[in-house]
Structures are given as C-alpha cells and as structure tokens.
C-alpha cells in the first residue's frame, strides 16, 4: 500500500526558469518560425487601423503617415454599403456558392471512385491527371480557359459540330456566364489535390469491414454508403467548415486574369474590388475597409459552421 501511495505521488514541479533552460534548444528551433509569424503575419495587421482613417502616404514614413492620418471611424464602411455593396456581394456569393457546389463534392467522388478502381496503373494515371492542374499557375490556367472559350475556340467548335448552336458564343462577353466559368475553373484546379485528403481518410478504414459486408451480400454501392461515407464523415465536416469559412475568398488571380471591362459588373468581387480601389486608384483606406469587412464575415462564418457541425455530429475544428 505504501509503495502504491509513493508511486501515486507526483514529482515536484520544476520552476519555470529551470524548465525553460532545459528546453532551450527546442525554443531555439522554434525561434525562426515565431519570428516569421510575428513579422509576416501579425506586424502587417497594424495596417488594419488604416480602414478607420483617411490615410494618404507621404515621404515621412509608413507609421508616421498611419498615426497622423485623420480618424474617420466607420465612414469607409458606410461608403461601401451605400454604393457597390449589393453588386459586389452578389458577384462574390454567386461565384463562391457555385464553386462550393462543384468543388466540394467533386474530390469526394474522385476519392471514392479511385478507391474502387482495382487496376493500380489506371488508378495512378487518373490520380496524377486529376491533381496535376493544382500545380499549374493561374496565369496558364486562365489562358487555357480564355483560349478554349473564345469565339473560335474548341468549345464553340464542339457545340457547333453537335448542332447545339449555329453561331459562336462569346462566353467572356456575357456576365452571368462568368460565374459558371470561374466555378468550373476553381473546381478543375483543386479537385484532384483535395481528393488526396479523402483518399488518406479512406485508406485508414479497416478492410475487414468491407470483407464482412461483402460476405453479408452488400454490393459496392452499399459498402460505399454504409462504410466509406460514414467513416470519412469527420473529414468531410472539417473541410466543409473550412470551405464555408472561405466562402468569400472567391479567388483573386483567376478573377483578375479572366475579367474584362464589358462584364465588370459581374466579375468584380471583394478581392478585385479592394485591389482596384486600394492599389490602382490610391484609396488605401477604402480598400483596407473592404478587406477587413471580408475577414470579419469569414471569421463569423467559420465560428457558425463549426458550432453547427459540432452540434450535429461532434466533428469540429475547436
């Protein structure tokens, strides 16, 4: 009994200074990452104050100009809400929701189909071909879509060959088409790469479950519905939370590279709008206010999606 009591007694906790000294090498290894986070991630956030001022750069220096700028409160936010808010949010949400509609289920389907393929050669070929677009820059990807969807592009040739249309369709001259083009481009770009996450989750499933289900007479579809999907549901929920949190991040490069003045009322989203006014037009405070508004809404969406998912099936980020 005495031995059990002595074993249960916890050793005295060392002083903080002693523990820090004993782990000094670990802290030295961590130091570059901490410096990077502080200077690259947090230090630029001082510029958020710009959204509440009428900032105008001079030769006196950034902090001098920022602290000396007249404070205007939420005037820039009110200006945004009273002018282009409805149009910009319509374009942003339309593009984002269409992208979510296509890009979220596509990787799940690819991962499930690849898991059912028995030929390793075919499986590797499809997997490589599907995630290769992820490594192509948006400059190249945008030119591919611009070429394919031009008046004399491949898509128009196919549509005319199949007698779906008798004349060229100017896809990049019709505003509502742009939302669908961006959604398809985003899906094509990331679906193969995101499928790797689901493939990793599927690979962790105990194969005895499939064997037992097969013995009980379950076919492939039934095994997918009753074994594969329920097992990877936590992964699906977490990625859905992240997708909802980034629903306002419709993209910047693809929008900027494929838009033109004739469809600007449909192609302009929060990111391109903030860039155009903040950088090109020199309205730094206004561009910062638009960007800050997007960040706040995204943060609220992450918290809301996390809370709802946690209540439904206990799968959440935090």
């Amino acid at each position: 009994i005495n031995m059990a009591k002595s074993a249960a007694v916890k050793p005295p906790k060392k002083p903080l200074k002693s523990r820090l000294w004993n782990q000094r090498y670990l802290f030295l290894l961590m130091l570059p990452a901490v410096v990077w986070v502080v200077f690259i991630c947090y230090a630029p956030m001082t510029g958020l104050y710009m959204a509440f001022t009428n900032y105008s750069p001079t030769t006196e220096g950034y902090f001098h100009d920022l602290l000396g700028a007249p404070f205007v409160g939420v005037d820039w936010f009110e200006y945004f809400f009273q002018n282009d808010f409805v149009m910009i949010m319509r374009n942003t949400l339309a593009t984002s929701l269409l992208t979510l509609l296509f890009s979220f289920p596509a990787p799940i389907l690819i991962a499930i189909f690849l898991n059912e393929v028995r030929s390793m050669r075919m499986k590797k070929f499809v997997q490589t071909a599907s995630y290769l677009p992820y490594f192509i820059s948006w400059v190249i990807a945008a030119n591919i879509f611009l070429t394919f969807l031009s008046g004399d592009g491949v898509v128009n040739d196919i549509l005319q060959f199949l007698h779906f249309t008798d004349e060229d369709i100017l896809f990049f001259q019709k505003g509502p088409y742009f939302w669908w083009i961006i959604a398809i481009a985003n899906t094509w770009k990331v679906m193969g790469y995101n499928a790797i996450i689901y493939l990793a989750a599927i690979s962790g499933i105990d194969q005895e479950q499939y064997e037992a289900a097969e013995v009980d007479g379950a076919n492939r579809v039934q095994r997918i519905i009753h074994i594969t999907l329920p097992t990877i549901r936590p992964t699906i929920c977490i990625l859905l939370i992240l997708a909802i949190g980034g629903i306002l991040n419709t993209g910047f490069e693809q929008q900027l590279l494929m838009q033109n003045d004739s469809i600007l009322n449909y192609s302009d989203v929060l990111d391109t709008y903030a860039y155009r006014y903040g950088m090109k037009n020199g309205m730094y405070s206004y561009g910062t206010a638009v960007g800050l508004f997007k960040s706040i809404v995204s943060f609220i969406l992450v918290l809301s999606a996390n809370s709802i998912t946690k209540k439904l099936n206990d799968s959440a980020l935090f």
Side-chain angles (χ1 to χ4, degrees), residues 32-317:
V34 172
V35 172
W36 183 87
V37 169
V38 170
F39 284 97
I40 303 300
C41 299
Y42 286 98
M45 291 180 68
T46 57
L48 294 178
Y49 177 68
M50 196 184 299
F52 305 96
T53 66
N54 189 11
Y55 175 80
S56 180
T58 64
T59 58
E60 299 294 332
Y62 168 71
F63 287 105
H64 177 274
D65 297 337
L66 182 64
L67 297 177
F71 184 80
V72 296
V74 294
D75 288 358
W76 290 117
F77 296 92
E78 293 178 355
Y79 180 80
F80 176 53
F81 295 147
Q82 293 171 1
N83 288 274
D84 299 323
F85 174 77
V86 175
M87 180 190 71
I88 298 301
M89 287 302 297
R90 180 202 64 182
N91 299 340
T92 303
L93 292 176
T95 308
S96 298
L97 292 175
L98 285 174
T99 299
L100 185 64
L101 178 65
F102 294 135
S103 65
F104 188 75
I108 302 174
L109 295 175
I110 292 175
I112 291 173
F113 291 156
L114 285 176
N115 185 61
E116 297 297 323
V117 173
R118 295 293 175 258
S119 173
M120 290 302 298
R121 180 176 296 180
M122 178 60 67
K123 187 175 183 178
K124 290 180 179 179
F125 172 77
V126 174
Q127 189 173 1
T128 303
S130 62
Y131 71 66
L132 189 60
Y134 181 83
F135 300 98
I136 299 175
S137 71
W138 268 115
V139 176
I140 298 174
N143 276 282
I144 291 174
F145 276 85
L146 288 169
T147 303
F148 278 28
L149 296 174
S150 63
D152 55 352
V154 176
V155 175
N156 270 305
D157 291 342
I158 294 174
L159 292 176
Q160 292 177 20
F161 176 78
L162 297 176
H163 301 290
F164 285 122
T165 180
D166 296 327
E167 56 184 13
D168 294 337
I169 300 176
L170 302 178
F171 291 98
F172 288 98
Q173 300 296 321
K174 299 181 183 295
Y177 286 6
F178 189 81
W179 298 340
W180 295 87
I181 293 171
I182 293 295
I184 294 171
N186 288 333
T187 304
W188 170 77
K189 193 88 161 52
V190 302
M191 64 180 181
Y193 187 82
N194 290 343
I196 298 174
I197 301 174
Y198 295 107
L199 279 171
I202 292 173
S203 65
I205 301 175
D206 188 358
Q207 295 301 312
E208 291 183 358
Q209 298 185 46
Y210 290 107
E211 295 171 1
E214 191 173 357
V215 170
D216 291 338
N219 56 34
R220 284 192 175 186
V221 176
Q222 290 172 329
R223 294 198 295 269
I224 291 171
I225 294 174
H226 297 289
I227 298 176
T228 305
L229 288 176
T231 306
I232 66 173
R233 184 174 61 182
T235 304
I236 294 174
C237 291
I238 290 174
L239 292 179
L240 180 60
I241 293 171
L242 296 174
I244 293 176
I247 201 168
L248 297 183
N249 295 322
T250 56
F252 174 73
E253 296 94 340
Q254 58 270 47
Q255 302 276 356
L256 190 66
L257 291 168
M258 287 192 276
Q259 68 179 201
N260 57 72
D261 292 340
S262 63
I263 56 170
L264 197 61
N265 290 340
Y266 289 88
S267 64
D268 214 10
V269 294
L270 282 169
D271 288 327
T272 57
Y273 184 80
Y275 166 75
R276 187 156 53 84
Y277 275 91
M279 299 301 294
K280 296 182 70 175
N281 294 351
M283 299 174 64
Y284 302 103
S285 295
Y286 185 46
T288 305
V290 174
L292 180 59
F293 165 77
K294 189 193 80 168
S295 300
I296 293 173
V297 174
S298 298
F299 180 69
I300 294 172
L301 287 173
V302 169
L303 294 179
S304 303
N306 183 78
S307 177
I308 294 172
T309 306
K310 192 173 184 178
K311 290 180 181 179
L312 292 177
N313 54 16
D314 294 329
S315 297
L317 283 174

